[in-house]
Amino acid sequence: MNQVRTLVAAAAMACAVLAAPTVEAQEAVGVNAAIRNSIRTQPAGESALRPAALRGQVRTGDVFVSGAQSQLQILLRDQSIFTVGSNARVTIDRFVIDTDRNAAGASAAVARGAFRFVSGRGGARPGAVRTPVASIGVRGTVLEAVVGPDALFVLEGHPGLPPFAGSPDEATLIVLRGPGPRGSGFDTPGAIDVTSGGSTFIVERPGQAMFAWAGGAFGPFELSDQASARLSSLLRAAPSSNTDSGPGDVLSASIDSGDAAFFGARGPGGPDTIEPTVKCLPAGGQNGPPSNSPPAGGCDARPFDPAP
């Protein structure tokens, strides 16, 4: 009997040793480049949430949960920037490498909350972001969106919208911030493709939006200035603690350009460095001065400033 137990224990240990390298060898697809207030993460293969760490590597399957007045900025391998706003739950669920060994891009599933996606290297990216009711393809541009009850908050009182009878938890508002087809600074003309309910809608003009829910979709339509400001507020966070913060939370921190290498030297051309700064191109195509709110018809792709 003791010999049987010893053999079973040895077999279990061998399985654990063989399985461990698989998890450890999983390649990082991004890095936590900036954190504000309460950001928790559940790495793939773990069962509990823990505070996210600045410079922490992001891998496929990782889940991020943000609290009130909180924000996370993830820099992906292809230099895309994914900003998670307040009250959000996001999973980095896929990463594709193209045949030329350049990053074709990561995709994320957003269950709730506000987010911003800024395209990096590469061309069109089908299904870059998924929500409970929509799949969003990105072609060289900046988009912002919000999922859940906050989408209804942003659109409250918006003129011209049809009556809403769906589930608030699945409501999804998607906005193209720009540049559009004639914008400069990206490799391809900017646009987003929103697929919902079996139909695909193309949004090409900055400031246009789509509203989707289970069983329906409306748009593209021009998002009002008031709604745009509400959405932007969900993507900004005050640099102070909040009731969601707990021990170990980072209240405000970010990585400067060139501060560290985070993928190691395995990738082509040596280690990638952190470059979270992205300049926003207003409607005119020229770099404009920074502002807290996106200009009309333009975008605000800058990372948040962690200083109080």
Side-chain angles (χ1 to χ4, degrees):
M1 181 64 70
N2 289 336
Q3 186 177 9
V4 172
R5 289 177 179 172
T6 301
L7 290 173
V8 171
M13 184 177 295
C15 289
V17 170
L18 290 173
T22 302
V23 176
E24 291 297 324
Q26 187 179 13
E27 191 173 19
V29 302
V31 66
N32 298 330
I35 294 174
R36 176 167 288 169
N37 293 335
S38 177
I39 301 294
R40 309 296 176 90
T41 181
Q42 181 179 327
E46 296 188 12
S47 58
L49 290 167
R50 54 183 170 84
L54 187 67
R55 299 183 180 86
Q57 292 189 338
V58 177
R59 293 177 168 85
T60 53
D62 287 359
V63 176
F64 294 91
V65 177
S66 63
Q69 289 297 309
S70 299
Q71 195 174 30
L72 167 69
Q73 190 173 88
I74 300 171
L75 177 63
L76 298 167
R77 284 188 69 96
D78 64 348
Q79 305 301 304
S80 296
I81 295 176
F82 195 87
T83 301
V84 180
S86 300
N87 303 316
R89 184 179 182 90
V90 175
T91 303
I92 306 299
D93 64 357
R94 186 166 56 92
F95 187 71
V96 179
I97 304 294
D98 70 16
T99 55
D100 293 326
R101 299 184 67 197
N102 293 320
S107 69
V110 180
R112 69 171 184 268
F115 64 90
R116 175 188 295 128
F117 184 85
V118 182
S119 294
R121 298 191 299 261
R125 191 161 310 162
V129 185
R130 293 182 297 105
T131 81
V133 294
S135 175
I136 309 167
V138 183
R139 288 181 271 154
T141 191
V142 180
L143 71 90
E144 293 179 356
V146 56
V147 180
D150 280 344
L152 301 181
F153 159 74
V154 169
L155 291 173
E156 184 177 357
H158 197 289
L161 294 182
F164 176 73
S167 168
D169 292 335
E170 297 178 333
T172 300
L173 172 65
I174 305 156
V175 185
L176 174 63
R177 288 302 192 190
R182 287 183 287 275
S184 61
F186 287 76
D187 293 335
T188 56
I192 56 175
D193 303 315
V194 179
T195 301
S196 179
S199 299
T200 298
F201 307 84
I202 299 175
V203 183
E204 297 181 308
R205 191 161 68 243
Q208 285 192 325
M210 286 293 307
F211 182 45
W213 60 94
F218 176 78
F221 63 95
E222 295 292 331
L223 192 68
S224 70
D225 291 342
Q226 183 181 30
S228 181
R230 287 175 178 170
L231 176 55
S232 294
S233 72
L234 296 174
L235 290 164
R236 295 194 305 269
S240 59
S241 182
N242 60 76
T243 56
D244 291 320
S245 295
D249 284 349
V250 177
L251 296 185
S252 186
S254 69
I255 295 174
D256 292 329
S257 176
D259 182 57
F262 59 94
F263 293 129
R266 290 185 308 231
D272 294 310
T273 54
I274 294 168
E275 297 178 354
T277 302
V278 171
K279 293 183 179 180
C280 175
L281 296 174
Q286 301 296 320
N287 293 334
S291 63
N292 288 331
S293 299
C299 65
D300 181 10
R302 296 173 296 106
F304 65 85
D305 180 4

